[in-house]
């Protein structure tokens, strides 16, 4: 759609990169702000957020390559190609990488695990919502052909060159669908954080909402790189989405009977 804002000589500014950066910074700011309100050290929250972002980017790229391993085995040089670097990666892989890094950092610095996850959940949702607008601008993560009135026709030759975007055909705007869902999740989670009844409620809700939404959005996606499992019954991303829903459900089931903890600044 509009993959590059401008270029001067050999320097160019991709729209996707700018919007992802804005999403990351806004998401981090909201997460640290929420953490402080929950009595969590803001410095620890900032450090955690930066680590989570870096590991999330790496995790998203790794899963992007893994789910399309057959192609990359035949074309190993493509792993470090511009097309692969321009592609956003698989968000589920980023989520797994981020959770792994968060678990290590939280344990090392003795932060409240579920309380910290709750504080970061709204920021994660809004950052993802903005990032998906970047996907739309770049032309990646496109949907299947459609005759519906909301179909979007991409026309940028640069998008086709960078990420293989189909041109001249109306496609499902899956990037905008997911962005809208994540924006709604942000407002729901922000509302819930102020009224939560137990630690883990907000993050558990996020995992359920996003997992369900992503599972069904996969039926509209048509870009390569998500793999297939169980003989093509579902994509690898759908399998991960099921895992997210189960994890979120377990958090609700196991923690719903636990009392809500008192934020550190309110304790005496």
């Amino acid at each position: 759609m509009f993959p590059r804002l401008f270029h001067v000589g050999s320097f160019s500014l991709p729209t996707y990169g700018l919007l992802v950066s804005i999403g990351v910074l806004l998401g981090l700011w909201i997460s640290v702000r929420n953490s402080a309100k929950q009595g969590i050290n803001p410095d620890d929250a900032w450090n955690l957020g930066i680590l989570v972002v870096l590991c999330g980017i790496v995790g998203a790229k790794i899963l992007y390559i893994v789910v399309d391993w057959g192609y990359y085995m035949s074309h190993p040089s493509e792993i470090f190609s511009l097309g692969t670097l321009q592609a956003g990666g698989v968000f589920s892989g980023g989520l797994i990488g981020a959770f792994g890094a968060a678990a290590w950092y939280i344990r090392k610095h003795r932060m409240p695990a579920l309380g910290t996850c709750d504080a970061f959940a709204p920021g994660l949702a809004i950052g993802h919502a903005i990032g998906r607008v970047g996907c739309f601008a770049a032309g990646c993560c496109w949907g299947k052909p459609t005759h519906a009135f909301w179909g979007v026709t991409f026309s940028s030759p640069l998008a086709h060159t960078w990420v293989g975007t189909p041109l001249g055909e109306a496609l499902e705007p899956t990037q905008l669908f997911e962005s809208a869902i994540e924006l709604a999740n942000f407002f729901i989670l922000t509302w819930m954080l102020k009224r939560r009844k137990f630690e883990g409620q907000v993050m558990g809700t996020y995992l359920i909402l996003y997992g369900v939404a992503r599972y069904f959005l996969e039926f509209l996606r048509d870009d390569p790189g998500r793999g297939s499992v169980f003989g093509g019954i579902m994509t690898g991303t759908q399998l991960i989405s099921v895992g997210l829903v189960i994890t979120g459900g377990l958090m609700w089931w196991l923690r719903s009977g636990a009392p809500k903890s008192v934020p550190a600044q309110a304790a005496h």
Side-chain angles (χ1 to χ4, degrees):
M1 183 62 70
F2 194 67
R4 184 168 59 189
L5 287 175
F6 66 86
H7 69 98
V8 178
S10 60
F11 174 79
S12 65
L13 180 61
T15 311
Y16 175 82
L18 177 64
L19 288 175
V20 167
S21 298
I22 292 173
V24 166
L25 291 175
L26 179 60
L28 276 177
W29 180 78
I30 290 173
S31 298
V32 173
R33 186 168 176 266
N34 288 340
S35 297
K37 290 181 178 179
Q38 300 302 316
I40 299 169
N41 187 315
D43 290 335
D44 285 340
W46 269 114
N47 293 335
L48 172 62
I50 293 171
L51 178 66
V52 162
V53 168
L54 293 176
C55 292
I57 292 172
V58 173
K61 291 296 184 183
I62 289 175
L63 187 58
Y64 180 84
I65 293 170
V66 167
V67 296
D68 202 19
W69 186 243
Y71 172 79
Y72 285 104
M73 278 288 289
S74 303
H75 306 82
S77 62
E78 287 296 309
I79 293 177
F80 302 103
S81 68
L82 180 62
T84 300
L85 293 176
Q86 287 287 343
V90 179
F91 179 73
S92 301
L95 204 58
I96 293 172
F99 270 118
W104 173 81
Y105 189 91
I106 287 171
R107 181 178 179 84
K108 180 179 180 180
H109 292 269
R110 302 179 182 276
M111 299 171 70
L114 294 177
T116 302
C117 288
D118 285 344
F120 272 70
L124 180 62
I126 192 64
H128 191 196
I130 297 173
R132 279 305 184 196
V133 177
C135 286
F136 181 70
C140 61
C141 308
W142 62 84
K144 293 180 178 179
T146 181
H147 296 292
F149 69 89
W150 57 72
V152 174
T153 302
F154 292 92
S155 58
S156 169
L158 188 59
H160 179 73
T161 300
W162 278 359
V163 295
T165 310
L167 305 180
E169 183 177 19
L171 306 174
E172 296 280 1
T174 49
Q175 312 95 325
L176 298 184
F177 291 158
E178 191 164 351
S179 179
I181 289 168
E182 283 290 62
L183 182 61
N185 284 345
F186 166 72
F187 288 113
I188 292 170
L189 299 174
T190 299
W191 177 86
M192 180 175 287
L193 184 62
K194 300 175 182 178
R195 298 164 178 81
R196 64 175 181 166
K197 294 179 172 59
F198 57 90
E199 288 192 341
Q201 182 180 16
V202 182
M203 179 54 77
T205 300
Y206 174 72
L207 294 178
I208 293 171
L209 291 177
Y210 179 71
V212 170
R214 185 57 191 270
Y215 181 89
F216 287 104
L217 278 173
E218 280 295 291
F219 291 112
L220 299 179
R221 290 276 293 268
D222 200 35
D223 56 311
R226 297 185 315 285
S228 63
V229 293
F230 308 130
I233 294 178
M234 64 175 66
T235 67
T237 302
Q238 285 179 316
L239 179 61
I240 293 173
S241 297
V242 171
L244 295 179
V245 173
I246 292 173
T247 301
L250 286 174
M251 291 174 71
W252 265 78
W253 181 50
L254 296 174
R255 296 293 300 172
S256 59
K260 176 184 175 183
S261 64
V262 180
Q265 74 264 28
H268 298 284

